[in-house]
């Protein structure tokens, strides 16, 4: 599905945006399911244990974690044939998706995300991994869209430490901000970036929601250096092909997020 020039662009820049891949009905169903979870979580339903909330006097759902996304409407997207065709082109015939979540920035709020590289939180034996976003609403810089720095997937890993502790964010002074690109994604479109591409997002200052389904897809032979919980859970995460007990080990930066995970990002 991806053209040679799209693949080259991803190789060089570390991100790629694609036109609408999901139909209006699929996006509507996804949006309705998200809103239903948000409403139930607000009413104290047990789904709230799978949600993170903003701080302050009126907490609002800012994230729905994997446990809250087990119904068909979300699982269909995770294994969506059009998305898997893209993923296969980038990562090969064996792929798993163990981490996924929905990040919400409701109108006039939503928290910002500091600059970071996902890799810093969870390095693997090789770096054939992407973080893929499915825009449920039109995403732009006004409603807290994601901003990337092209090419940073090929530079040395940025420092995510302060005083020797892992803090999950890069000091702003280190960011080549003049090269930042805001990802614009109409509802139903997808974008993805390499696991080491430096990215951030601002608060939502608009009157529009920003609901974003974020999924991490990994080549089947990329093993997390922090370990897996079980072979069965790894197997269950496969969306293409099957797992191998033989990880592929490449020359990638290996720094563990230790000691201390004290970033303001709560990962999946
Ligand atoms: O939802 C967002 O705006 C950013 C999320 C993010 O950067 C991440 O999960 O790594």
């Amino acid at each position: 599905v991806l053209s040679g020039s799209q693949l080259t662009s991803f190789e060089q820049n570390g991100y790629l945006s694609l036109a609408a891949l999901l139909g209006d009905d699929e996006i509507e169903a996804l949006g309705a399911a998200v809103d239903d979870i948000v409403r139930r979580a607000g009413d104290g339903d047990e789904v709230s244990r799978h949600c993170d909330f903003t701080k302050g006097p009126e907490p609002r759902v800012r994230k729905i974690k994997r446990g809250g996304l087990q119904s068909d409407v979300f699982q269909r997207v995770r294994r969506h044939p059009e998305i898997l065709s893209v993923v296969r082109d980038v990562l090969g015939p064996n792929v798993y998706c163990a981490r996924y979540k929905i990040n919400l920035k409701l109108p006039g709020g939503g928290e910002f995300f500091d600059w970071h590289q996902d890799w810093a939180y969870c390095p693997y034996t090789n770096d054939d991994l992407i973080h893929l976003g499915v825009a449920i609403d039109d995403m732009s810089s006004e409603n807290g869209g994601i901003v990337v720095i092209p090419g940073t997937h090929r530079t040395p890993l940025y420092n995510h430490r302060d005083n020797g502790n892992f803090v999950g964010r890069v000091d702003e002074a280190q960011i080549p901000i003049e090269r930042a690109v805001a990802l614009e994604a109409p509802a139903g479109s997808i974008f993805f970036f390499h696991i080491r591409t430096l990215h951030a997002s601002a608060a939502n200052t608009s009157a529009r929601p920003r609901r974003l389904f974020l999924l991490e897809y990994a080549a089947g032979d990329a093993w997390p250096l922090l370990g897996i919980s079980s072979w069965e859970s790894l197997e269950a995460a496969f969306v293409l092909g099957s797992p191998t007990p033989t990880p592929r080990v490449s020359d990638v930066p290996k720094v563990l997020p230790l000691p201390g995970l004290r970033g303001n990002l709560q990962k999946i």
Side-chain angles (χ1 to χ4, degrees):
V1 261
L2 294 181
S3 66
S5 64
Q6 283 175 312
L7 285 167
T8 305
S9 171
F10 171 65
E11 261 306 303
Q12 284 172 353
N13 299 316
Y15 72 94
L16 195 67
S17 298
L18 297 174
L21 279 193
L22 272 68
D24 290 348
D25 48 339
E26 289 173 299
I27 285 298
E28 260 168 46
L30 204 50
V34 169
D35 292 348
D36 182 55
I37 293 178
V38 169
R39 190 183 44 73
R40 280 167 30 221
D43 291 345
D45 183 278
E46 68 95 39
V47 75
S48 61
R49 73 192 164 90
H50 300 299
C51 299
D52 283 346
F53 294 83
T54 54
K55 300 191 177 62
E58 282 181 55
R60 304 165 88 183
V61 177
R62 62 186 276 278
K63 171 156 73 168
I64 309 170
K65 295 182 265 192
R66 188 175 57 186
L69 302 174
Q70 294 307 307
S71 68
D72 278 0
V73 65
F74 302 110
Q75 293 299 318
R76 264 202 302 274
V77 173
R78 183 166 163 253
R79 294 173 180 275
H80 197 286
E82 305 273 352
I83 294 178
L84 293 189
S85 299
V86 169
V87 163
R88 186 187 288 109
D89 280 357
V90 182
L91 301 174
N94 298 297
V95 175
Y96 64 102
C97 172
R99 298 161 163 254
Y100 48 96
K101 61 186 172 184
I102 286 183
N103 277 359
L104 291 140
K105 296 190 187 184
L106 297 172
E111 288 167 5
F112 65 92
F113 285 78
D114 284 312
W115 287 101
H116 67 282
Q117 293 167 296
D118 295 331
W119 181 267
Y121 285 80
C122 187
Y124 290 77
T125 57
N126 67 65
D127 63 359
D128 280 336
L129 291 102
I130 56 171
H131 206 160
L132 184 144
V134 177
I136 304 175
D137 302 299
D138 294 341
M139 182 185 93
S140 70
S141 43
E142 278 116 59
N143 65 350
I146 294 186
V147 181
V148 299
I149 310 274
T152 42
H153 61 313
R154 295 289 171 240
T155 57
L157 192 66
Y158 280 77
N159 178 28
H160 291 69
R161 287 168 190 277
D162 188 12
N163 263 328
N165 288 313
F166 179 74
V167 290
R169 66 185 135 72
V170 178
D171 182 357
E172 290 258 351
Q174 307 303 314
I175 310 292
I177 201 84
E178 66 291 348
R179 290 175 30 217
V181 173
L183 300 181
E184 303 271 331
S189 70
I190 69 165
F191 59 87
F192 59 90
F193 48 88
H194 186 267
I195 190 79
R196 270 205 312 281
T197 300
L198 194 55
H199 62 284
S201 67
N204 179 1
T205 52
S206 78
R208 298 182 289 119
R210 196 224 67 176
R211 296 167 299 176
L212 186 61
F213 198 175
L214 284 164
L215 307 108
E216 188 181 286
Y217 290 97
D221 56 7
W223 278 66
L225 294 182
L226 291 168
I228 58 163
S229 53
S230 69
W231 177 262
E232 287 70 27
S233 63
L234 180 65
E235 210 166 24
F238 268 70
V239 292
L240 288 172
S242 50
T244 168
T246 318
R248 177 168 44 97
V249 181
S250 311
D251 184 16
V252 287
K254 298 168 200 78
V255 185
L256 294 180
L258 297 168
L261 182 61
R262 301 189 196 161
N264 76 341
L265 296 178
Q266 294 167 38
K267 300 304 277 189
I268 308 162

